[in-house]
Amino acid sequence: MRRILIALSMAVAVAGSAGAGGNRVVDNKKPKPIDAKANAGKLEVWKDDLGQYYVVPVANAFSFDDAGAWVFYGDAKTLYQQRIIGASSDPQGGYDWSIWAPRVTTLQQAEVETKNGRLTVQCGVKDLRVLTQLKADEAKVFFAKATFYPPLWQRQTRFLARDDDGIYYFVDELREEYGGQGYRVFVGEKGAMKELGMTNVVEDSGGFIFATKGGSLKIISDKKSNTAYWVKGGKKVELTELVPMDNRHLIYRSLGVYGTVGTVCDDL
C-alpha cells in the first residue's frame, strides 16, 4: 500500500528575496550550508538536458518522513533544498514529490518521481523530463565541488492589488521561519515595478498602513473582506485586491519583481 503524505496547501503564495534577474538572498545573511556530502552514499545525482542537477535519496536510504529533506536542485556548484508540499512512496522505495515551484504555469506545483531506476520531472502538462543519472565516479566529483543550501526563497506575499489603470501594488514579507515582517512595498506597471522606501508600518485589528516615501497603502479589514486604497498627495485611489494563489505567475514572472527562486522548473 502506498504511503501518502499531503502537506497543507499554502494559503498565500510564497514570494521571493532576489531582485529581478538576480540570485541573492535579501535581508538575511547567506544561510549556513547543509552537509549533504556526509550522506553522499545515500544520495543519487541526476542531470537534465539544460545542465541542471537534481539530488534525491537512494531508495530506502532514509525514512519516508526524512527523505524529502534530501531533495536538492541547482547547477554544478550551488544547489538549494526544495520545499516539499506533498509526497508519496511505494514498497520498492520509489518516491513521488510535489514541489513548490511558483513559476510553473500549467500545474500547481512541480512533480519529481523516482521509479524503476528513473527520475522524471513534470514541469507542466506537456513538459515531462527524463533525467540522466551520474555514474559513481562522476557523482563523487560532483559532491566534492557542490555546495548545498536551505531553500533560497525567504519571503512570501502579504498583499497584491491593482488600480483601474493597471498599476500594481505588491507587499511581501519574511517567512515566519526567518523572523517574519520585514515588509517591502513595490508599486508600478507590470514589468516596471519599483520598491518604495518604507517610513512606517501600522498593523492592528483595523488593518494595515504601509507608509512609504512615495505614498501610503491602506488596507482596512472587516469580517467579510478587505478594502484597500493608495493615498498620495491627498489623492485616494481605491484598489482591487488580488488573490496571490490565483496570480502566482503574475507575481513570480510578469511583475518583474523577482528573478530565480531556486526551485525545480525555474527555467520555464
Side-chain angles (χ1 to χ4, degrees), residues 41-55:
K42 298 180 180 181
L43 301 172
E44 299 175 346
V45 184
W46 297 74
K47 183 179 180 181
D48 65 20
D49 292 338
L50 300 175
Q52 298 299 303
Y53 292 84
Y54 305 72
V55 173

Side-chain angles (χ1 to χ4, degrees), residues 163-180:
D163 62 22
D164 291 339
D165 294 321
I167 302 299
Y168 287 89
Y169 300 81
F170 178 69
V171 182
D172 70 5
E173 64 183 342
L174 288 169
R175 292 169 59 89
E176 289 187 7
E177 63 209 75
Y178 297 107

Side-chain angles (χ1 to χ4, degrees), residues 170-171 183-187 194-196 198 210 212 230:
F170 178 69
V171 182
Y183 299 113
R184 301 187 304 179
V185 175
F186 297 83
V187 177
K194 295 182 179 180
E195 182 179 357
L196 303 182
M198 299 289 297
F210 298 103
T212 78
W230 176 251

Side-chain angles (χ1 to χ4, degrees), residues 70-82:
W70 298 99
V71 180
F72 293 86
Y73 168 81
D75 57 29
K77 295 182 178 180
T78 305
L79 294 96
Y80 293 98
Q81 188 180 47
Q82 301 299 288

